[in-house]
Amino acid sequence: MVNGVEAGQLASSYAERKSRFMKWLSKLFKSGGSGRGVTSGQHPQFLGDENMVWRVPPRSLDGCPRSDKDKEDLDHAIALSLAEDLKKPKGYGWRSDTDEDLSRSLHDSLNTSSYPPYAPTPYYPSGYRVCGACNQDIGFGNYLGCMGTFFHPECFRCRSCGYPITEHEFSLSGRDAYHKSCFKELTHPKCEVCHQFIPTNGAGLIEYRCHPFWSQKYCPSHEHDNVARCCSCERLESWNARYISLGDGRSLCLECMESAIMDTGDCHSLYHAIRDFFEGMNMKLDQEIPMLLVERQALNEAIVGEKNGHHHLPETRGLCLSEEQTVKSIQVLRRPRLAGQRLVGMRTQPQKLTRKCEVTAILVLYGLPRLLTGAILAHELMHGWLRLKGFRNLSPEVEEGICQVLSYMWLESEVMPGFNKNMASTSSGAASSSSSSSKKGGKSEVEKKLGEFFMHQIAHDVSPAYGGGFRAANAAVNKYGLRITLEHIRLTGSFPL
């Protein structure tokens, strides 16, 4: 039993030790800096006033070294506390409500901090990987590494076909991976004739030919291996889309075949529409000039017998005839039919052409699309108009150039809506020609594209007479108008500058 004197001494001794220890703690936290809190997530643990345990960090809370005086005070306080505990009987303890409050307030003050709560970063052991495709853990299984990223083997897939890439070699485009075969399919050009990859030349470069208007790419070898070329649009025959043979050495693609004019009877309405077009520009033809559709051989024979005119080589498709000749024209009783890849049912009929004026007849190759046939007719009719109006001894550049301008203008009126040439003339003829086409249901997109190609052919012709002459004549017509240009040609034999 503890008597009253001993209890009083014990209480005063405890109060003295508690006072010294709390002074030391107060000094310690003041030296640690106000409002800094406790670092590293460590906090003091209070197990009662008599058994306080404090894990002292090797450095002060503000990171500065402790002074020797601080270390002595700390050691002294701990030593006193331990000495008093050794004097107490086993199991003896002392706790009061005041001490509980003090412990709680001290613990709360240590937890109060201006810093955000500590969020531990995840720990990844060595060998830990995440798949760059599915974003799932790879763990310690098999993986593929590419561009600094890891993948499950089944997640490393071709950007094109979507199947896993299992080959040792593959192709990269940016950060996308491809099978080598898929990448070749995407980037290596294919021939649009044989549908094979275009081979490389002796220098290891991909060499191919490309049509300037249609952008048809093909192997250079197809220019010399007898691949059929459309006599209208110039495209080469593809191995999976056969062309139609016209029987005179020419071939026609299926698109051009849709609007092809096969006999003289079919061409009469078009011929009269173009005559109306001329009349609408105050260029009426006073004479009725015969017009015939002929085969290639008949046209070539007529060219040989013709003394006048300049002919477009290597292929002449129309002729304004001024000499008396007998020619074989195409006469079809019914629409020709296909037998395999050839047209059958075509018949020719000899026809004697007598000269009644400066122009005997106009001959045009049969089997060409409507717009190309019309462009040829407009060109040859302009030759006839010049001869009937007394234009003599014109140079090939001037005569062929102004004839090409009329051909180009007619195509514009057919292909381009709202066509209106800046000239001193009426447009009733142009309207008549266009309206005759619209009454038949208009032109398809395929036919319009063909018309644009025929205009492109005229504008980019490289021959001096047909190409150079057209560009000079067109510049004069655009600047002065058609009527003044024609009057200048009649007086001087040249274009106005």
Side-chain angles (χ1 to χ4, degrees):
M1 294 294 294
V2 181
N3 58 29
V5 177
E6 289 176 346
Q9 291 177 349
L10 183 58
S12 63
S13 172
Y14 169 74
E16 181 181 355
R17 287 189 294 108
K18 178 177 178 181
S19 175
R20 284 201 304 268
F21 189 68
M22 294 309 297
K23 286 180 181 179
W24 176 83
L25 279 179
S26 176
K27 180 180 178 182
L28 174 64
F29 284 104
K30 286 180 181 179
S31 66
S34 173
R36 292 186 179 269
V38 180
T39 62
S40 302
Q42 295 179 348
H43 301 286
Q45 300 294 323
F46 293 92
L47 303 178
D49 292 340
E50 310 305 323
N51 294 299
M52 289 185 181
V53 178
W54 180 265
R55 297 187 180 273
V56 182
R59 302 178 64 85
S60 63
L61 296 178
D62 57 359
C64 300
R66 299 187 184 282
S67 63
D68 293 339
K69 178 64 175 174
D70 291 339
K71 291 180 180 179
E72 287 183 11
D73 291 343
L74 177 61
D75 293 341
H76 183 65
I78 293 173
L80 285 176
S81 178
L82 291 174
E84 291 296 330
D85 288 340
L86 290 174
K87 295 178 182 179
K88 295 177 184 178
K90 189 174 183 178
Y92 183 86
W94 186 279
R95 187 180 301 271
S96 69
D97 293 340
T98 304
D99 294 335
E100 292 284 352
D101 295 339
L102 179 62
S103 173
R104 189 177 300 106
S105 63
L106 181 59
H107 188 274
D108 292 341
S109 67
L110 289 174
N111 280 326
T112 303
S113 172
S114 61
Y115 291 101
Y118 173 73
T121 57
Y123 168 70
Y124 297 113
S126 60
Y128 182 87
R129 299 175 182 87
V130 175
C131 178
C134 67
N135 294 320
Q136 300 299 315
D137 297 347
I138 294 177
F140 298 93
N142 294 332
Y143 67 92
L144 298 173
C146 179
M147 301 173 293
T149 307
F150 302 109
F151 300 89
H152 293 109
E154 64 274 12
C155 291
F156 190 58
R157 295 176 177 266
C158 175
R159 175 74 174 180
S160 176
C161 69
Y163 286 99
I165 299 175
T166 58
E167 296 82 1
H168 292 292
E169 293 184 358
F170 55 90
S171 299
L172 281 175
S173 178
R175 296 188 64 83
D176 295 327
Y178 297 85
H179 293 111
K180 293 186 72 175
S181 58
C182 293
F183 191 72
K184 187 175 183 179
E185 285 281 349
L186 290 174
T187 59
H188 194 116
K190 273 190 173 182
C191 175
E192 296 179 34
V193 174
C194 64
H195 302 288
Q196 303 298 315
F197 290 114
I198 296 176
T200 56
N201 59 17
L205 302 176
I206 299 173
E207 180 183 356
Y208 58 87
R209 303 290 182 265
C210 183
H211 193 281
F213 182 83
W214 302 108
S215 300
Q216 183 188 36
K217 298 181 179 68
Y218 54 91
C219 304
S221 61
H222 296 317
E223 292 188 333
H224 315 289
D225 59 5
N226 298 320
V227 172
R229 187 187 294 269
C230 179
C231 64
S232 168
C233 67
E234 298 184 345
R235 285 176 287 191
L236 291 177
E237 180 183 41
S238 172
W239 287 7
N240 61 1
R242 295 299 182 183
Y243 286 2
I244 306 301
S245 173
L246 296 178
D248 57 2
R250 295 179 297 146
S251 296
L252 201 64
C253 74
L254 297 180
E255 288 187 356
C256 291
M257 186 69 186
E258 287 181 2
S259 61
I261 296 179
M262 290 299 176
D263 75 331
T264 303
D266 287 345
C267 196
H268 275 148
S269 59
L270 176 61
Y271 178 54
H272 288 296
I274 296 172
R275 287 175 63 97
D276 291 342
F277 177 80
F278 273 68
E279 187 175 350
M281 294 187 294
N282 295 327
M283 296 172 62
K284 184 177 180 179
L285 290 159
D286 299 324
Q287 301 290 331
E288 188 71 27
I289 303 173
M291 183 276 303
L292 298 174
L293 287 187
V294 297
E295 291 181 310
R296 175 192 268 180
Q297 183 180 355
L299 183 62
N300 291 338
E301 291 173 355
I303 291 172
V304 173
E306 179 67 17
K307 296 178 181 178
N308 299 324
H310 181 85
H311 309 299
H312 198 308
L313 298 177
E315 178 74 85
T316 298
R317 295 183 287 198
L319 177 65
C320 184
L321 197 63
S322 60
E323 302 293 330
E324 291 189 355
Q325 294 190 34
T326 299
V327 298
K328 295 179 179 180
S329 65
I330 298 291
Q331 300 292 331
V332 181
L333 298 179
R334 61 180 182 273
R335 184 79 176 174
R337 65 183 186 277
L338 284 175
Q341 300 302 122
R342 299 179 63 86
L343 281 176
V344 295
M346 307 295 298
R347 296 176 61 184
T348 61
Q349 179 179 344
Q351 188 163 342
K352 178 69 176 180
L353 298 174
T354 59
R355 181 174 179 180
K356 298 179 181 179
C357 59
E358 291 294 325
V359 181
T360 304
I362 291 176
L363 308 181
V364 179
L365 274 177
Y366 90 97
L368 298 176
R370 175 186 174 275
L371 289 179
L372 180 54
T373 302
I376 297 169
L377 281 172
H379 179 101
E380 301 304 332
L381 272 176
M382 188 59 188
H383 278 299
W385 187 90
L386 291 172
R387 294 178 191 178
L388 292 173
K389 295 299 180 181
F391 287 73
R392 296 287 186 271
N393 302 320
L394 297 178
S395 68
E397 288 77 10
V398 172
E399 184 169 352
E400 300 298 341
I402 196 66
C403 289
Q404 287 290 75
V405 166
L406 265 294
S407 179
Y408 191 91
M409 289 168 61
W410 181 80
L411 283 170
E412 274 187 319
S413 71
E414 290 289 303
V415 174
M416 298 183 177
F419 164 78
N420 181 21
K421 202 71 175 178
N422 183 22
M423 60 187 74
S425 63
T426 64
S427 58
S428 60
S432 174
S433 175
S434 298
S435 63
S436 65
S437 174
S438 61
K439 287 177 183 178
K440 296 178 181 179
K443 287 171 286 297
S444 66
E445 291 301 318
V446 171
E447 193 176 6
K448 288 180 181 179
K449 193 68 176 178
L450 281 174
E452 292 172 4
F453 167 67
F454 301 142
M455 293 170 63
H456 176 273
Q457 273 189 313
I458 294 173
H460 295 85
D461 197 309
V462 296
S463 66
Y466 288 80
F470 164 76
R471 287 181 281 277
N474 196 49
V477 171
N478 285 333
K479 187 174 183 180
Y480 300 105
L482 181 60
R483 186 180 64 180
I484 294 176
T485 300
L486 288 172
E487 182 64 20
H488 192 278
I489 292 173
R490 187 181 68 80
L491 294 174
T492 67
S494 63
F495 301 121
L497 301 176

